[in-house]
Each structure stands twice: as structure tokens, then as C-alpha cells.
Short mmCIF file of all heavy atoms in Angstrom, two decimals:
data_model
loop_
_atom_site.label_atom_id
_atom_site.label_comp_id
_atom_site.label_asym_id
_atom_site.label_seq_id
_atom_site.Cartn_x
_atom_site.Cartn_y
_atom_site.Cartn_z
N LEU A 1 50.27 -114.81 -9.19
CA LEU A 1 50.09 -116.10 -8.52
C LEU A 1 49.80 -117.17 -9.47
O LEU A 1 50.40 -118.23 -9.46
CB LEU A 1 48.90 -115.93 -7.55
CG LEU A 1 48.38 -117.19 -6.81
CD1 LEU A 1 49.57 -117.80 -5.97
CD2 LEU A 1 47.15 -116.94 -6.03
N MET A 2 48.92 -116.89 -10.52
CA MET A 2 48.61 -117.91 -11.51
C MET A 2 49.77 -118.26 -12.37
O MET A 2 49.98 -119.38 -12.74
CB MET A 2 47.35 -117.47 -12.29
CG MET A 2 46.08 -117.26 -11.50
SD MET A 2 45.67 -118.80 -10.60
CE MET A 2 45.21 -119.89 -11.92
N ASP A 3 50.55 -117.24 -12.77
CA ASP A 3 51.71 -117.37 -13.58
C ASP A 3 52.72 -118.40 -12.84
O ASP A 3 53.43 -119.23 -13.47
CB ASP A 3 52.42 -116.07 -13.96
CG ASP A 3 51.66 -115.22 -14.89
OD1 ASP A 3 50.77 -115.92 -15.61
OD2 ASP A 3 51.93 -114.10 -15.00
N SER A 4 52.87 -118.22 -11.50
CA SER A 4 53.74 -119.01 -10.77
C SER A 4 53.28 -120.43 -10.68
O SER A 4 54.16 -121.39 -10.37
CB SER A 4 53.91 -118.49 -9.33
OG SER A 4 52.76 -118.74 -8.57
N LEU A 5 52.06 -120.70 -11.00
CA LEU A 5 51.48 -122.11 -10.87
C LEU A 5 51.26 -122.74 -12.27
O LEU A 5 50.60 -123.79 -12.33
CB LEU A 5 50.24 -122.07 -10.08
CG LEU A 5 50.34 -121.53 -8.63
CD1 LEU A 5 49.01 -121.49 -7.98
CD2 LEU A 5 51.38 -122.38 -7.79
N ALA A 6 51.75 -122.03 -13.31
CA ALA A 6 51.40 -122.50 -14.73
C ALA A 6 51.95 -123.93 -14.87
O ALA A 6 53.07 -124.27 -14.48
CB ALA A 6 52.18 -121.59 -15.70
N GLY A 7 51.04 -124.76 -15.46
CA GLY A 7 51.34 -126.21 -15.72
C GLY A 7 51.20 -127.11 -14.61
O GLY A 7 51.39 -128.30 -14.75
N LYS A 8 50.82 -126.57 -13.42
CA LYS A 8 50.71 -127.52 -12.22
C LYS A 8 49.32 -128.05 -12.09
O LYS A 8 49.06 -129.01 -11.37
CB LYS A 8 51.12 -126.74 -10.99
CG LYS A 8 52.58 -126.34 -10.92
CD LYS A 8 53.00 -125.77 -9.64
CE LYS A 8 54.49 -125.50 -9.59
NZ LYS A 8 54.94 -124.86 -8.37
N ALA A 9 48.34 -127.43 -12.78
CA ALA A 9 47.00 -127.87 -12.80
C ALA A 9 46.20 -127.15 -13.88
O ALA A 9 46.69 -126.15 -14.49
CB ALA A 9 46.25 -127.67 -11.43
N HIS A 10 45.00 -127.63 -14.15
CA HIS A 10 44.14 -126.90 -15.07
C HIS A 10 43.14 -126.04 -14.24
O HIS A 10 42.32 -126.58 -13.49
CB HIS A 10 43.35 -127.85 -15.91
CG HIS A 10 42.34 -127.21 -16.84
ND1 HIS A 10 42.73 -126.49 -18.03
CD2 HIS A 10 41.02 -127.06 -16.75
CE1 HIS A 10 41.67 -125.97 -18.56
NE2 HIS A 10 40.65 -126.32 -17.83
N PHE A 11 43.28 -124.76 -14.40
CA PHE A 11 42.49 -123.82 -13.54
C PHE A 11 41.33 -123.26 -14.42
O PHE A 11 41.52 -122.78 -15.59
CB PHE A 11 43.27 -122.69 -13.08
CG PHE A 11 44.38 -123.10 -12.06
CD1 PHE A 11 45.70 -123.26 -12.46
CD2 PHE A 11 44.07 -123.38 -10.76
CE1 PHE A 11 46.62 -123.66 -11.61
CE2 PHE A 11 44.98 -123.74 -9.84
CZ PHE A 11 46.32 -123.85 -10.27
N VAL A 12 40.15 -123.26 -13.85
CA VAL A 12 39.00 -122.54 -14.47
C VAL A 12 38.63 -121.43 -13.53
O VAL A 12 38.14 -121.63 -12.42
CB VAL A 12 37.77 -123.51 -14.64
CG1 VAL A 12 36.55 -122.77 -15.21
CG2 VAL A 12 38.13 -124.81 -15.38
N VAL A 13 38.86 -120.20 -13.99
CA VAL A 13 38.68 -119.05 -13.26
C VAL A 13 37.35 -118.26 -13.60
O VAL A 13 37.26 -117.95 -14.77
CB VAL A 13 39.93 -118.04 -13.34
CG1 VAL A 13 39.76 -116.76 -12.56
CG2 VAL A 13 41.21 -118.80 -12.87
N GLN A 14 36.54 -118.08 -12.68
CA GLN A 14 35.20 -117.47 -12.95
C GLN A 14 34.89 -116.22 -12.04
O GLN A 14 34.68 -116.32 -10.85
CB GLN A 14 34.10 -118.49 -12.77
CG GLN A 14 32.75 -118.02 -12.98
CD GLN A 14 32.44 -117.54 -14.40
OE1 GLN A 14 32.74 -118.29 -15.30
NE2 GLN A 14 31.99 -116.34 -14.61
N PRO A 15 34.91 -115.00 -12.69
CA PRO A 15 34.47 -113.83 -11.93
C PRO A 15 32.99 -113.97 -11.65
O PRO A 15 32.23 -114.39 -12.56
CB PRO A 15 34.79 -112.70 -12.80
CG PRO A 15 35.80 -113.21 -13.80
CD PRO A 15 35.43 -114.70 -14.00
N CYS A 16 32.56 -113.61 -10.45
CA CYS A 16 31.12 -113.74 -10.06
C CYS A 16 30.57 -112.31 -9.85
O CYS A 16 30.35 -111.95 -8.61
CB CYS A 16 30.99 -114.61 -8.86
SG CYS A 16 31.58 -116.32 -9.12
N ASP A 17 30.39 -111.61 -10.84
CA ASP A 17 29.84 -110.22 -10.72
C ASP A 17 28.50 -110.18 -9.98
O ASP A 17 27.59 -110.98 -10.33
CB ASP A 17 29.61 -109.59 -12.16
CG ASP A 17 30.95 -109.41 -12.88
OD1 ASP A 17 31.97 -109.37 -12.23
OD2 ASP A 17 30.84 -109.31 -14.14
N GLY A 18 28.39 -109.38 -8.95
CA GLY A 18 27.16 -109.21 -8.22
C GLY A 18 26.93 -110.17 -7.12
O GLY A 18 26.03 -109.96 -6.21
N LEU A 19 27.67 -111.24 -7.02
CA LEU A 19 27.34 -112.28 -6.04
C LEU A 19 27.62 -111.79 -4.64
O LEU A 19 26.79 -111.94 -3.69
CB LEU A 19 28.12 -113.61 -6.31
CG LEU A 19 27.88 -114.72 -5.36
CD1 LEU A 19 26.42 -115.05 -5.18
CD2 LEU A 19 28.69 -115.96 -5.72
N ALA A 20 28.79 -111.21 -4.37
CA ALA A 20 29.14 -110.61 -3.03
C ALA A 20 28.05 -109.65 -2.54
O ALA A 20 27.61 -109.62 -1.39
CB ALA A 20 30.48 -110.08 -3.02
N HIS A 21 27.57 -108.77 -3.49
CA HIS A 21 26.62 -107.75 -3.15
C HIS A 21 25.28 -108.44 -2.84
O HIS A 21 24.58 -107.97 -1.89
CB HIS A 21 26.50 -106.77 -4.27
CG HIS A 21 25.92 -105.48 -3.90
ND1 HIS A 21 26.14 -104.95 -2.65
CD2 HIS A 21 25.10 -104.63 -4.57
CE1 HIS A 21 25.52 -103.72 -2.56
NE2 HIS A 21 24.80 -103.51 -3.72
N ALA A 22 24.92 -109.45 -3.56
CA ALA A 22 23.68 -110.19 -3.33
C ALA A 22 23.68 -110.87 -1.94
O ALA A 22 22.68 -110.89 -1.28
CB ALA A 22 23.48 -111.21 -4.41
N ILE A 23 24.88 -111.41 -1.58
CA ILE A 23 25.00 -111.97 -0.27
C ILE A 23 24.82 -110.89 0.85
O ILE A 23 24.16 -111.21 1.86
CB ILE A 23 26.38 -112.74 -0.10
CG1 ILE A 23 26.41 -113.87 -1.13
CG2 ILE A 23 26.61 -113.26 1.31
CD1 ILE A 23 27.75 -114.50 -1.22
N GLU A 24 25.39 -109.74 0.60
CA GLU A 24 25.18 -108.58 1.59
C GLU A 24 23.72 -108.40 1.69
O GLU A 24 23.21 -108.26 2.87
CB GLU A 24 25.83 -107.40 1.04
CG GLU A 24 27.32 -107.43 0.95
CD GLU A 24 28.07 -106.90 2.20
OE1 GLU A 24 27.51 -106.01 2.86
OE2 GLU A 24 29.06 -107.42 2.54
N ARG A 25 22.91 -108.33 0.59
CA ARG A 25 21.52 -107.94 0.69
C ARG A 25 20.72 -109.08 1.35
O ARG A 25 19.74 -108.78 1.98
CB ARG A 25 20.98 -107.64 -0.67
CG ARG A 25 21.51 -106.37 -1.36
CD ARG A 25 20.73 -106.02 -2.55
NE ARG A 25 20.83 -106.93 -3.67
CZ ARG A 25 21.86 -106.88 -4.61
NH1 ARG A 25 22.69 -105.93 -4.59
NH2 ARG A 25 21.87 -107.87 -5.53
N SER A 26 21.21 -110.26 1.14
CA SER A 26 20.39 -111.44 1.70
C SER A 26 20.26 -111.50 3.13
O SER A 26 19.34 -111.98 3.64
CB SER A 26 21.06 -112.79 1.17
OG SER A 26 22.29 -113.04 1.90
N VAL A 27 21.22 -110.85 3.93
CA VAL A 27 21.14 -110.93 5.35
C VAL A 27 20.00 -110.17 5.91
O VAL A 27 19.62 -110.37 7.02
CB VAL A 27 22.48 -110.49 5.98
CG1 VAL A 27 23.65 -111.32 5.61
CG2 VAL A 27 22.76 -109.00 5.75
N ALA A 28 19.47 -109.21 5.08
CA ALA A 28 18.30 -108.43 5.61
C ALA A 28 17.00 -109.19 5.48
O ALA A 28 16.01 -108.78 6.02
CB ALA A 28 18.21 -107.17 4.81
N ARG A 29 17.03 -110.37 4.71
CA ARG A 29 15.88 -111.20 4.55
C ARG A 29 15.89 -112.33 5.50
O ARG A 29 17.03 -112.80 5.90
CB ARG A 29 15.80 -111.70 3.09
CG ARG A 29 15.64 -110.63 2.07
CD ARG A 29 15.24 -111.10 0.75
NE ARG A 29 16.37 -111.99 0.20
CZ ARG A 29 17.34 -111.53 -0.62
NH1 ARG A 29 17.44 -110.25 -0.87
NH2 ARG A 29 18.26 -112.38 -1.07
N PRO A 30 14.76 -112.88 5.90
CA PRO A 30 14.72 -113.99 6.79
C PRO A 30 15.43 -115.19 6.11
O PRO A 30 15.40 -115.26 4.88
CB PRO A 30 13.23 -114.32 7.03
CG PRO A 30 12.53 -113.05 6.63
CD PRO A 30 13.34 -112.41 5.60
N GLU A 31 16.06 -116.05 6.91
CA GLU A 31 16.61 -117.31 6.33
C GLU A 31 15.53 -118.11 5.71
O GLU A 31 14.43 -118.24 6.23
CB GLU A 31 17.31 -118.09 7.41
CG GLU A 31 18.59 -117.49 7.91
CD GLU A 31 19.39 -118.36 8.87
OE1 GLU A 31 20.06 -119.20 8.24
OE2 GLU A 31 19.25 -118.30 10.08
N PRO A 32 15.85 -118.76 4.49
CA PRO A 32 14.79 -119.55 3.86
C PRO A 32 14.41 -120.74 4.77
O PRO A 32 15.18 -121.29 5.46
CB PRO A 32 15.47 -120.09 2.57
CG PRO A 32 16.94 -119.87 2.79
CD PRO A 32 17.10 -118.68 3.76
N ALA A 33 13.17 -121.09 4.66
CA ALA A 33 12.63 -122.27 5.44
C ALA A 33 13.29 -123.53 4.90
O ALA A 33 13.57 -123.65 3.71
CB ALA A 33 11.15 -122.30 5.33
N PRO A 34 13.47 -124.55 5.74
CA PRO A 34 13.96 -125.82 5.34
C PRO A 34 13.06 -126.42 4.17
O PRO A 34 11.81 -126.31 4.30
CB PRO A 34 13.82 -126.72 6.58
CG PRO A 34 13.86 -125.77 7.69
CD PRO A 34 13.18 -124.45 7.21
N GLY A 35 13.71 -126.94 3.20
CA GLY A 35 12.96 -127.45 2.07
C GLY A 35 12.60 -126.44 1.01
O GLY A 35 11.96 -126.76 0.05
N ALA A 36 12.99 -125.11 1.15
CA ALA A 36 12.68 -124.16 0.15
C ALA A 36 13.39 -124.51 -1.13
O ALA A 36 14.48 -125.04 -1.13
CB ALA A 36 13.15 -122.75 0.62
N PRO A 37 12.79 -124.20 -2.29
CA PRO A 37 13.41 -124.57 -3.56
C PRO A 37 14.74 -123.88 -3.74
O PRO A 37 14.98 -122.74 -3.25
CB PRO A 37 12.38 -124.07 -4.61
CG PRO A 37 11.52 -123.12 -3.94
CD PRO A 37 11.49 -123.54 -2.42
N ALA A 38 15.69 -124.51 -4.44
CA ALA A 38 17.05 -124.02 -4.57
C ALA A 38 17.17 -122.65 -5.26
O ALA A 38 18.01 -121.91 -5.03
CB ALA A 38 17.91 -125.01 -5.20
N ASP A 39 16.17 -122.40 -6.15
CA ASP A 39 16.19 -121.15 -6.90
C ASP A 39 15.38 -120.08 -6.35
O ASP A 39 14.94 -119.10 -6.93
CB ASP A 39 15.78 -121.46 -8.30
CG ASP A 39 14.23 -122.01 -8.42
OD1 ASP A 39 13.71 -122.24 -7.33
OD2 ASP A 39 13.72 -122.09 -9.51
N ALA A 40 15.08 -120.19 -5.02
CA ALA A 40 14.16 -119.28 -4.36
C ALA A 40 14.89 -117.86 -4.04
O ALA A 40 14.17 -116.98 -3.67
CB ALA A 40 13.57 -119.89 -3.01
N THR A 41 16.19 -117.87 -4.08
CA THR A 41 16.91 -116.59 -3.77
C THR A 41 17.68 -116.08 -4.84
O THR A 41 18.20 -116.82 -5.78
CB THR A 41 17.77 -116.87 -2.50
OG1 THR A 41 18.79 -117.75 -2.87
CG2 THR A 41 17.05 -117.46 -1.34
N GLU A 42 18.04 -114.82 -4.78
CA GLU A 42 18.90 -114.16 -5.74
C GLU A 42 20.32 -114.78 -5.68
O GLU A 42 20.93 -115.04 -6.72
CB GLU A 42 19.01 -112.65 -5.42
CG GLU A 42 19.97 -111.93 -6.30
CD GLU A 42 20.14 -110.52 -5.90
OE1 GLU A 42 19.83 -110.16 -4.69
OE2 GLU A 42 20.72 -109.68 -6.64
N THR A 43 20.81 -115.06 -4.52
CA THR A 43 22.13 -115.64 -4.36
C THR A 43 22.21 -117.03 -5.07
O THR A 43 23.18 -117.35 -5.71
CB THR A 43 22.57 -115.77 -2.94
OG1 THR A 43 21.55 -116.49 -2.15
CG2 THR A 43 22.79 -114.39 -2.31
N ALA A 44 21.20 -117.83 -4.83
CA ALA A 44 21.17 -119.17 -5.46
C ALA A 44 21.16 -119.04 -6.97
O ALA A 44 21.88 -119.87 -7.63
CB ALA A 44 19.98 -119.98 -4.95
N ALA A 45 20.43 -118.15 -7.55
CA ALA A 45 20.42 -118.00 -8.99
C ALA A 45 21.73 -117.56 -9.55
O ALA A 45 22.18 -118.03 -10.52
CB ALA A 45 19.31 -116.92 -9.35
N LEU A 46 22.41 -116.67 -8.82
CA LEU A 46 23.76 -116.22 -9.25
C LEU A 46 24.72 -117.35 -9.19
O LEU A 46 25.57 -117.59 -10.01
CB LEU A 46 24.29 -115.01 -8.52
CG LEU A 46 23.54 -113.69 -8.82
CD1 LEU A 46 23.87 -112.62 -7.75
CD2 LEU A 46 23.89 -113.22 -10.24
N CYS A 47 24.68 -118.14 -8.01
CA CYS A 47 25.59 -119.24 -7.94
C CYS A 47 25.43 -120.18 -9.05
O CYS A 47 26.40 -120.70 -9.64
CB CYS A 47 25.32 -120.00 -6.59
SG CYS A 47 25.87 -119.09 -5.13
N GLU A 48 24.13 -120.51 -9.42
CA GLU A 48 23.90 -121.45 -10.48
C GLU A 48 24.45 -120.91 -11.76
O GLU A 48 25.05 -121.67 -12.58
CB GLU A 48 22.44 -121.63 -10.57
CG GLU A 48 22.15 -122.75 -11.76
CD GLU A 48 20.62 -123.15 -11.72
OE1 GLU A 48 19.80 -122.50 -11.05
OE2 GLU A 48 20.37 -124.17 -12.35
#
């Protein structure tokens, strides 16, 4: 797919090891309260 689009844009491709699994685990925890700090969760730390 990327070869077929060569030269059409500048792509920055980033594998996110562990993020999908962290999102899976996050559903077992209560949703963060409004105003909670952005770095309060494992998923937020991986996203950053």
C-alpha cells in the first residue's frame, strides 16, 4: 500500500507496541473523572 503511494505525501509511520493491549485493560477500570490529569492512565502515557 505504501509503495503504491510513494511520492504522494510524506508519511510518518509509528508502531505503537502495547497500546491496543493497554486499551483492552483500561475497560476494566472506571472511566477517569472529568478534569483528571492527562498522564493519569497507562493509555495516555503510551499515546504521549
Side-chain angles (χ1 to χ4, degrees):
L1 173 63
M2 296 305 293
D3 287 345
S4 72
L5 302 176
K8 295 187 177 181
H10 175 74
F11 295 100
V12 179
V13 178
Q14 178 62 52
C16 298
D17 296 336
L19 181 55
H21 201 33
I23 294 168
E24 293 267 328
R25 291 193 295 270
S26 73
V27 300
R29 298 190 295 270
E31 292 191 80
D39 61 352
T41 67
E42 177 189 15
T43 54
L46 288 170
C47 287
E48 181 171 16

